[in-house]
Amino acid sequence: GKDVDAIKKRGELNCGVNTGLPGFSAADSQGKWSGMDVDVCRSVAAALLGNADKVRYVPLTAQQRFTALQSGEIDLLARNTTWTLTRDASLGLTFTGVNFYDGQGFMVPKKLKVNSAKQLKGATVCVQSGTTTELNLTDYSRANNLGLKPVVFEKLEAALAAYASGRCQAYTTDASGLASSRAKDMAVPDDHVILPELISKEPLGPAVRRGDDDFAAIVRWVGFALIEAEEYGITQANVDQLKSSSTNPSVMRILGMGNEDTGKLLGLDKEWAYRAIKAVGNYGEQFERHVGPKTPIQLPRGVNNLWTKGGVLYAPPIR
Amino acid sequence: MSAQFQPIAPRPSPVRQSGPVAWARRNLFADWRSTATTLFIALLLVWALPGLWRWIIAGAVFRPDADACQAARGVGACWGVVAEKYRIILFGRYPFDEQWRPLVATLLVIGGLVVSCMRAFWKRWLIALWIAILALFFTLMGGGVLGLSPVRTELWGGFPLTIMLSVISLFLAFPLAVVVALGRRAKLPAIRTICVLYVELVRGVPLISVLFMASFMFPLFVPQGVTVDVLVRVIAGLTLFIAAYMAETVRGGLQAVPKGQFEAADSLGLGYWQTQRLIVLPQALSMVVPSIMNTFISLFKDTSLVTIVSLYELTGALALALNSDVQWRPFKLEAYFFITLIYFSGCFAMSRYSLWVEKQLAASKAR
Amino acid sequence: MIYQVIALALLALGLWYLAHNTQLNMRARGIQSGFDFLGANAGFDIGEKLIDYDPSQSYGKAIWVGVLNTVKVAIAGIVLTTVLGVMLGVGRFSRNALVRGLCYGYVEAFRNVPLLLQLLMWYLVFIELLPAANEAWAFGGLVFLSKGGLSFPWPTTGVGAVLGGLAVGAVAGVFWRRRVQKRFEATGQDGDRFWAPLAMLVAFALVGWVVAGMPRAWSVPEQLAFMVDGGMALTPEFMALLIGLTMYTASFVAEVVRGGIQSVSRGQDEAASALGLNPRQKMKLVVLPQAMRVIIPPLTNQYLNLTKNSSLAVVVGYPDVVSIANTTINQSGRAVECIAIIMLVYLSTSLTTSLVMNAYNRRMAIKER
Amino acid sequence: MSDPIIRFDKVNKWYGNDFHVLRDIDLSVAKGERIVICGPSGSGKSTLIRCINRLEEHQQGTLTVDGVELTDNIKAIDQVRKNVGMVFQQFNLFPHLTVLENLTLSPMWVGKMPKKEAEERAMQQLKRVRIAEQAQKYPLQLSGGQQQRVAIARALCLTPKIMLFDEPTSALDPEMIKEVLDVMIELANQGITMLCVTHEMGFAKAVADRVIFMDQGQIVEQNTPEAFFNNPQNERSKDFLSKILGH
Amino acid sequence: MSDPIIRFDKVNKWYGNDFHVLRDIDLSVAKGERIVICGPSGSGKSTLIRCINRLEEHQQGTLTVDGVELTDNIKAIDQVRKNVGMVFQQFNLFPHLTVLENLTLSPMWVGKMPKKEAEERAMQQLKRVRIAEQAQKYPLQLSGGQQQRVAIARALCLTPKIMLFDEPTSALDPEMIKEVLDVMIELANQGITMLCVTHEMGFAKAVADRVIFMDQGQIVEQNTPEAFFNNPQNERSKDFLSKILGH
Ligand SMILES: Nc1ncnc2c1ncn2[C@@H]1O[C@H](COP(=O)(O)OP(=O)(O)OP(=O)(O)O)[C@@H](O)[C@H]1O
Ligand SMILES: Nc1ncnc2c1ncn2[C@@H]1O[C@H](COP(=O)(O)OP(=O)(O)OP(=O)(O)O)[C@@H](O)[C@H]1O
Ligand SMILES: [Mg+2]
Ligand SMILES: [Mg+2]
């Protein structure tokens, strides 16, 4: 398709990411990006261009993201974006899957002694504009007759700063974001609690522009490949070894061994998935690396586990 | 028989009007109302100054020591945040080891600005100088030649970006403004209408919607596959925006050229373009130097808005430096004061200069 | 003639090219377009609103709420800016050097720093320095100031009657001034033109209150668990925006006022002195009427600037029209349409203002040959 | 000579600290006297007459006008200004007021006169300068000559004892000069005390009791018009006259 | 009379649609003739001479200058402007250029003359008006009289066959008028064709071959200076002369 051609010709993938959400996409002071969403960009670049570093990151606010994608400013939007019907149907874009199953929650200062969202009657809530978060908050407030007052900010940082300074009694966003912010953005993380209620389903996933189904397929299957890799125990560390010695037909198909060539159908070469895994590791590795219990963000694997381990990650077979 | 004129020698005035006491009497204690006001303001200052002094100097922490800052909170300012973060604030995400390049580049441009401010240097070679400076600026910033490692434009940030955006936009806007201003005075109604529409439309909308269009909607307007660096698009937006304002300024200058000048030019047989180039524009433009300075000042300030479209100029770089750093984030106000100082010194110097030019012009008019 | 045709043709071609590309691009990318989305359900709530709005209403209504919010901050800003700016401008001519110096210092300090920065700083000051909403500073248990904003008592009934009283008082004041003027013309005896009308305003407002049965039903703000509720509340977002815009624009208005006063030629001042007018009479009868003509046009420009600058509300989280349109873009994806709406809103304010101004200028123009 | 209505006694004035613009001026003007002041540009003529109604203040010497000594005393200044009318080179009419309003302004606000009376008096003065029919127009709608006549009428509305004219015709077209000079000659003939800075020698000859020639802040020569024009006593005046009468 | 160098033939001109400013002007000017035009303000004097180098265009009748008929033809206009020098009341020097640059501007840009030659010629003309030493100054550094002389020199640099003067002395101080008039008299004596709007009667008497009196857009009277001043034929001219000579 034409987007694929354009990217190949350019030799670089333009990837829209969050301006700063630790664990998903954040740049360190050297300008190096990392996170779950960033790994989406990197894995696609590795599969498509052969080099995970051939990515130009375009940091976007929630408001800018769809326009940027529609207008061609970016090729791939990997910015913790919730997959909804409206967005899928009317914005001229295609979601290619889910790289994180999330739900919206609330964070409040501990000293307010609140332990349920239902106790937030009349509270002021800081929220980033142009998100499903904003809509869910409205719905939840109405459904439970809480009269929550939103204070809406253009930028995530601004919303967080306002919450941190005490302008709002609560801060709401996806639970993953809450955890990340609590860990990285609060001076004393223990002064804040994340309330138990999840008020929405937030399947976050990458999206591409409509009009090039080939590209959508590539992004979608790169994502699946990384999940499959976890299922079959392919890791960044052992991928080279497996590639030379594995006899498991599924593994061989994924890594493009022998005369297995799944890449051709996607318009890629046969080592596409190998390169992606080599670059970012399988899904589980990414999770552990960026948001897992050993990171400051400390998210449990929860629903984001393989279907075989009680989660909902269920990748269609690569064959 | 006729008397010779014998001038009385001038004497100095008996009432010396200077001296601090005389000055204070006239300016501070002229009558009871003035005296009351003076005392009131003095009391206010006495009440406020010690606290300010404590916050700014005495109780302030100058070392980049976050714990000390935390301890001094509410009592003294934490200038340590500037000491700690100034490089990110000034240069944004530009690779740390290469930051001498933006530094040199910025100094070059500032030097160029200073030189351009001196009347003695208003010569033709100034244009050449600027072309050279800008070429050097981009070479230094972008690299890729002469053994400089390439740095892509999205990593450019901080003060160099602020300076670059304002200077380049000004240079590009200037010719456009002259053309539009001439067009607004043209005898041809179609051209005049176009110019009027352009000026009025642009001046009617806020800059941030222009920037938003430039940075996010621009690709919708061009054929697919054509991409333009976001920096270039933002510059285009700023240029189109500021040119509309400048066109009005220039038009004011054109209108201030007396009709007699046109007539004299006609009577000497000069043609339209000769008249404009040799007679009208030189006078009009030198008349509007102060107003153009003022336009430049507002442009310089307005570049801070590009942070809204995610370019990390000075204001944006500050957010970049502090937002993600929990330790230092509480001291944002001090960091804001730091860049306020930068903006203020720039703008204040320029506005003083423009006043000075204005006086010079008035003086040359009055002989 | 040839030039004109060429210019027009080029322009038309350029516009067509852009429009054509946009259409092609939108079609190719399956982006929906059109203004039908304005009727669709918005689904998001807005923190501050002047009219009833709830999330189940349309995008159109939401944007209208934003427009009204813009108008609210613009009008309040214009009023405050005028007062502050005129004081600063006149202060530059004070005989007291301290007043002169302070006015000068103010003007230089505020106009030489980007507005965006000032807004950010004001907002920071509000949300950092004030106490949290659950421990608001209370002034006499009536007025509360905290990060949640400024809350003060507001009557729940009788507002109409008091306003009515004020209106009557205003009419009475005008009548009074007219009588003073008449008497002055008849006898040369001048009377009080300011205090008496002011007293009338207050008195009639009181009467209105009494007539309404002296309602005491005030909605008084009270401290709740984590907020202050009731009364009238101004949010920190609104206050930061308002104060920032006002302080910034006032520094420009001060310069305009100063320029206007200076523009009245010295000859006018001298002629007035030669006629024996005292300084106050000179100001009122000769200088100000002439200065106004010079002041009004740039002053209007400053008002327009203030209105346009209110679009920076997005950085402090105040829901003005730009902020809500941006949200709408995001929820509905109609970028082109929303930007067009924003531009239309601002263009129509500036065009209306210019029209009014031109009319005013024509009326006030000094009659010449 | 009767008691002088204006008396300069060793009056000195400086602009700033160094610019000595009036030097040891001694001058007495009798009631009803008509004086023409001439001299090269910058010699201090305007400054001299502007001291009389204290548009400028002198720093040394005493200046007495109509029995009142001019000092910082605001009462005294007001008193003097009520008795002194002034006509400027640039007319200085108030462009935002009609001709009539220009004329009634001072009588109403300073003189506390009822409007009707002030208007009657204004119309009288307008008739005196022969432009009563222009009363409702705005100054800038009139020709230069007419404007200057309005300015004269405005000064006359104060019923001044002294009229000061500072080059009242030099901003006018040749034809209009005559209109204004005619009005001034009429006034002069009515016996009002008059000081006039002008280079209109015809006027000087026709009405002046005395011509004063100034240079470099001093009064160089004073004399009757005949004596002054036909037989100037001083080198400097001779030189000056040769230039302005030469063509 | 030799072949006329300027010929107005029933020339009419309107400003806008209604204002008939020149009415049936018939006028021939012979080579070398020196003409003074006078008349009340607004009578169309300026308009008349500005038609000659087409700063204004006439709408009816024919106007021929130096054998070229003035129409919309741009070539013809350029041709005429090269041969006609004009001096304005307000001098209209270019303040951003030095005196010398003012003078060389047209020769260099219109006449395509090398810079050196143009400067030589300019210096000649500056000598002619006696201010060669001011060549490097800027106009605003000069006195009014000097400025006007520069303006004359600038016009002369075109080596014009005709010189037009529009009230060249009326913006000057009395003392400076003489300087300028002296230069003009010299020029006149050198035989250049000259049309001059002025009210300086001394000048008219000294050099004019013919005085033209205009009123309301018409030429009311033309005559030799002696005849005109001593014995005006027309009521209107009599009236006018009485006014401007009266004081
Ligand atoms: N406010 C002032 N401050 C300083 N110098 C002044 C001021 N007003 C006038 N002068 C100077 O004082 C001198 C005398 O001025 P004045 O106006 O009295 O002269 P004049 O004789 O009226 O001249 P003219 O014929 O040009 O009107 C001039 O050199 C002038 O430049
Ligand atoms: N551009 C113009 N448009 C309309 N009317 C004009 C224009 N220029 C001049 N007039 C009018 O035409 C008339 C003649 O003007 P002109 O300048 O020729 O008079 P003039 O005899 O030179 O008078 P003056 O002695 O005042 O210079 C005047 O009434 C003037 O108001
Ligand atoms: Mg004077
Ligand atoms: Mg004329």
Side-chain angles (χ1 to χ4, degrees), chain A residues 47-64:
Chain A
L48 180 59
L49 299 171
N51 184 344
D53 292 331
K54 294 273 186 224
V55 183
R56 186 171 75 101
Y57 297 99
V58 181
L60 295 169
T61 66
Q63 304 202 325
Q64 296 162 345

PDB file of all heavy atoms in Angstrom, chain A residues 47-64:
ATOM      1  N   ALA A  47      10.289  -4.560  12.071  1.00  0.00           N
ATOM      2  CA  ALA A  47       9.700  -5.484  11.108  1.00  0.00           C
ATOM      3  C   ALA A  47       9.698  -4.913   9.708  1.00  0.00           C
ATOM      4  O   ALA A  47      10.013  -5.594   8.734  1.00  0.00           O
ATOM      5  CB  ALA A  47       8.270  -5.839  11.545  1.00  0.00           C
ATOM      6  N   LEU A  48       9.356  -3.663   9.627  1.00  0.00           N
ATOM      7  CA  LEU A  48       9.141  -3.066   8.306  1.00  0.00           C
ATOM      8  C   LEU A  48      10.435  -2.536   7.697  1.00  0.00           C
ATOM      9  O   LEU A  48      10.687  -2.712   6.512  1.00  0.00           O
ATOM     10  CB  LEU A  48       8.128  -1.918   8.439  1.00  0.00           C
ATOM     11  CG  LEU A  48       7.741  -1.144   7.193  1.00  0.00           C
ATOM     12  CD1 LEU A  48       7.129  -2.078   6.161  1.00  0.00           C
ATOM     13  CD2 LEU A  48       6.740  -0.054   7.534  1.00  0.00           C
ATOM     14  N   LEU A  49      11.244  -1.887   8.504  1.00  0.00           N
ATOM     15  CA  LEU A  49      12.423  -1.222   7.957  1.00  0.00           C
ATOM     16  C   LEU A  49      13.724  -1.938   8.307  1.00  0.00           C
ATOM     17  O   LEU A  49      14.774  -1.556   7.840  1.00  0.00           O
ATOM     18  CB  LEU A  49      12.500   0.217   8.489  1.00  0.00           C
ATOM     19  CG  LEU A  49      11.305   1.107   8.122  1.00  0.00           C
ATOM     20  CD1 LEU A  49      11.367   2.420   8.881  1.00  0.00           C
ATOM     21  CD2 LEU A  49      11.294   1.354   6.624  1.00  0.00           C
ATOM     22  N   GLY A  50      13.599  -2.936   9.175  1.00  0.00           N
ATOM     23  CA  GLY A  50      14.786  -3.675   9.523  1.00  0.00           C
ATOM     24  C   GLY A  50      15.621  -3.031  10.611  1.00  0.00           C
ATOM     25  O   GLY A  50      16.680  -3.520  10.961  1.00  0.00           O
ATOM     26  N   ASN A  51      15.165  -1.924  11.137  1.00  0.00           N
ATOM     27  CA  ASN A  51      15.952  -1.266  12.170  1.00  0.00           C
ATOM     28  C   ASN A  51      15.004  -0.557  13.142  1.00  0.00           C
ATOM     29  O   ASN A  51      14.270   0.335  12.758  1.00  0.00           O
ATOM     30  CB  ASN A  51      16.904  -0.245  11.525  1.00  0.00           C
ATOM     31  CG  ASN A  51      17.809   0.400  12.564  1.00  0.00           C
ATOM     32  OD1 ASN A  51      17.553   0.322  13.761  1.00  0.00           O
ATOM     33  ND2 ASN A  51      18.876   1.022  12.094  1.00  0.00           N
ATOM     34  N   ALA A  52      15.059  -0.986  14.386  1.00  0.00           N
ATOM     35  CA  ALA A  52      14.122  -0.452  15.378  1.00  0.00           C
ATOM     36  C   ALA A  52      14.393   1.012  15.694  1.00  0.00           C
ATOM     37  O   ALA A  52      13.553   1.692  16.270  1.00  0.00           O
ATOM     38  CB  ALA A  52      14.209  -1.284  16.659  1.00  0.00           C
ATOM     39  N   ASP A  53      15.543   1.511  15.301  1.00  0.00           N
ATOM     40  CA  ASP A  53      15.853   2.905  15.632  1.00  0.00           C
ATOM     41  C   ASP A  53      15.393   3.887  14.570  1.00  0.00           C
ATOM     42  O   ASP A  53      15.512   5.094  14.733  1.00  0.00           O
ATOM     43  CB  ASP A  53      17.360   3.072  15.834  1.00  0.00           C
ATOM     44  CG  ASP A  53      17.809   2.337  17.082  1.00  0.00           C
ATOM     45  OD1 ASP A  53      16.979   2.222  18.011  1.00  0.00           O
ATOM     46  OD2 ASP A  53      18.956   1.857  17.106  1.00  0.00           O
ATOM     47  N   LYS A  54      14.861   3.327  13.466  1.00  0.00           N
ATOM     48  CA  LYS A  54      14.432   4.234  12.388  1.00  0.00           C
ATOM     49  C   LYS A  54      13.034   4.775  12.687  1.00  0.00           C
ATOM     50  O   LYS A  54      12.105   4.588  11.907  1.00  0.00           O
ATOM     51  CB  LYS A  54      14.409   3.484  11.048  1.00  0.00           C
ATOM     52  CG  LYS A  54      15.779   3.060  10.575  1.00  0.00           C
ATOM     53  CD  LYS A  54      16.413   4.176   9.778  1.00  0.00           C
ATOM     54  CE  LYS A  54      17.725   3.723   9.155  1.00  0.00           C
ATOM     55  NZ  LYS A  54      18.778   4.697   9.289  1.00  0.00           N
ATOM     56  N   VAL A  55      12.916   5.401  13.829  1.00  0.00           N
ATOM     57  CA  VAL A  55      11.622   5.951  14.206  1.00  0.00           C
ATOM     58  C   VAL A  55      11.802   7.427  14.533  1.00  0.00           C
ATOM     59  O   VAL A  55      12.759   7.810  15.204  1.00  0.00           O
ATOM     60  CB  VAL A  55      11.054   5.242  15.456  1.00  0.00           C
ATOM     61  CG1 VAL A  55       9.669   5.794  15.788  1.00  0.00           C
ATOM     62  CG2 VAL A  55      10.999   3.750  15.241  1.00  0.00           C
ATOM     63  N   ARG A  56      10.886   8.218  14.006  1.00  0.00           N
ATOM     64  CA  ARG A  56      10.864   9.618  14.445  1.00  0.00           C
ATOM     65  C   ARG A  56       9.668   9.760  15.378  1.00  0.00           C
ATOM     66  O   ARG A  56       8.534   9.513  14.980  1.00  0.00           O
ATOM     67  CB  ARG A  56      10.693  10.561  13.256  1.00  0.00           C
ATOM     68  CG  ARG A  56      10.819  12.013  13.637  1.00  0.00           C
ATOM     69  CD  ARG A  56      10.858  12.903  12.408  1.00  0.00           C
ATOM     70  NE  ARG A  56       9.534  13.038  11.812  1.00  0.00           N
ATOM     71  CZ  ARG A  56       8.748  14.113  11.998  1.00  0.00           C
ATOM     72  NH1 ARG A  56       9.173  15.116  12.713  1.00  0.00           N
ATOM     73  NH2 ARG A  56       7.570  14.168  11.437  1.00  0.00           N
ATOM     74  N   TYR A  57       9.929  10.103  16.631  1.00  0.00           N
ATOM     75  CA  TYR A  57       8.838  10.212  17.599  1.00  0.00           C
ATOM     76  C   TYR A  57       8.238  11.599  17.561  1.00  0.00           C
ATOM     77  O   TYR A  57       8.952  12.602  17.614  1.00  0.00           O
ATOM     78  CB  TYR A  57       9.352   9.904  19.005  1.00  0.00           C
ATOM     79  CG  TYR A  57       9.846   8.485  19.117  1.00  0.00           C
ATOM     80  CD1 TYR A  57      11.196   8.193  19.034  1.00  0.00           C
ATOM     81  CD2 TYR A  57       8.934   7.432  19.265  1.00  0.00           C
ATOM     82  CE1 TYR A  57      11.655   6.895  19.101  1.00  0.00           C
ATOM     83  CE2 TYR A  57       9.388   6.133  19.336  1.00  0.00           C
ATOM     84  CZ  TYR A  57      10.746   5.853  19.253  1.00  0.00           C
ATOM     85  OH  TYR A  57      11.183   4.582  19.306  1.00  0.00           O
ATOM     86  N   VAL A  58       6.933  11.642  17.434  1.00  0.00           N
ATOM     87  CA  VAL A  58       6.247  12.928  17.460  1.00  0.00           C
ATOM     88  C   VAL A  58       5.407  12.969  18.730  1.00  0.00           C
ATOM     89  O   VAL A  58       4.388  12.315  18.819  1.00  0.00           O
ATOM     90  CB  VAL A  58       5.342  13.090  16.231  1.00  0.00           C
ATOM     91  CG1 VAL A  58       4.652  14.431  16.261  1.00  0.00           C
ATOM     92  CG2 VAL A  58       6.150  12.920  14.959  1.00  0.00           C
ATOM     93  N   PRO A  59       5.863  13.725  19.729  1.00  0.00           N
ATOM     94  CA  PRO A  59       5.087  13.784  20.971  1.00  0.00           C
ATOM     95  C   PRO A  59       3.799  14.576  20.751  1.00  0.00           C
ATOM     96  O   PRO A  59       3.822  15.668  20.187  1.00  0.00           O
ATOM     97  CB  PRO A  59       6.015  14.536  21.941  1.00  0.00           C
ATOM     98  CG  PRO A  59       7.077  15.135  21.116  1.00  0.00           C
ATOM     99  CD  PRO A  59       7.081  14.539  19.772  1.00  0.00           C
ATOM    100  N   LEU A  60       2.697  14.004  21.185  1.00  0.00           N
ATOM    101  CA  LEU A  60       1.406  14.629  20.899  1.00  0.00           C
ATOM    102  C   LEU A  60       0.581  14.757  22.164  1.00  0.00           C
ATOM    103  O   LEU A  60       0.628  13.897  23.044  1.00  0.00           O
ATOM    104  CB  LEU A  60       0.626  13.766  19.903  1.00  0.00           C
ATOM    105  CG  LEU A  60       1.226  13.618  18.511  1.00  0.00           C
ATOM    106  CD1 LEU A  60       0.490  12.538  17.740  1.00  0.00           C
ATOM    107  CD2 LEU A  60       1.159  14.931  17.775  1.00  0.00           C
ATOM    108  N   THR A  61      -0.203  15.822  22.233  1.00  0.00           N
ATOM    109  CA  THR A  61      -1.191  15.900  23.294  1.00  0.00           C
ATOM    110  C   THR A  61      -2.411  15.102  22.829  1.00  0.00           C
ATOM    111  O   THR A  61      -2.539  14.762  21.662  1.00  0.00           O
ATOM    112  CB  THR A  61      -1.631  17.334  23.554  1.00  0.00           C
ATOM    113  OG1 THR A  61      -2.322  17.798  22.409  1.00  0.00           O
ATOM    114  CG2 THR A  61      -0.455  18.231  23.830  1.00  0.00           C
ATOM    115  N   ALA A  62      -3.302  14.849  23.767  1.00  0.00           N
ATOM    116  CA  ALA A  62      -4.487  14.066  23.427  1.00  0.00           C
ATOM    117  C   ALA A  62      -5.258  14.741  22.302  1.00  0.00           C
ATOM    118  O   ALA A  62      -5.799  14.103  21.412  1.00  0.00           O
ATOM    119  CB  ALA A  62      -5.371  13.915  24.651  1.00  0.00           C
ATOM    120  N   GLN A  63      -5.258  16.074  22.343  1.00  0.00           N
ATOM    121  CA  GLN A  63      -6.051  16.785  21.362  1.00  0.00           C
ATOM    122  C   GLN A  63      -5.466  16.732  19.975  1.00  0.00           C
ATOM    123  O   GLN A  63      -6.177  16.816  18.988  1.00  0.00           O
ATOM    124  CB  GLN A  63      -6.150  18.235  21.788  1.00  0.00           C
ATOM    125  CG  GLN A  63      -6.706  18.346  23.163  1.00  0.00           C
ATOM    126  CD  GLN A  63      -7.287  19.707  23.400  1.00  0.00           C
ATOM    127  OE1 GLN A  63      -6.763  20.676  22.901  1.00  0.00           O
ATOM    128  NE2 GLN A  63      -8.370  19.752  24.123  1.00  0.00           N
ATOM    129  N   GLN A  64      -4.159  16.640  19.929  1.00  0.00           N
ATOM    130  CA  GLN A  64      -3.524  16.733  18.618  1.00  0.00           C
ATOM    131  C   GLN A  64      -3.493  15.402  17.905  1.00  0.00           C
ATOM    132  O   GLN A  64      -3.321  15.342  16.699  1.00  0.00           O
ATOM    133  CB  GLN A  64      -2.085  17.233  18.784  1.00  0.00           C
ATOM    134  CG  GLN A  64      -1.994  18.630  19.332  1.00  0.00           C
ATOM    135  CD  GLN A  64      -0.625  18.927  19.884  1.00  0.00           C
ATOM    136  OE1 GLN A  64       0.173  18.018  20.107  1.00  0.00           O
ATOM    137  NE2 GLN A  64      -0.341  20.198  20.106  1.00  0.00           N
TER     138      GLN A  64
END
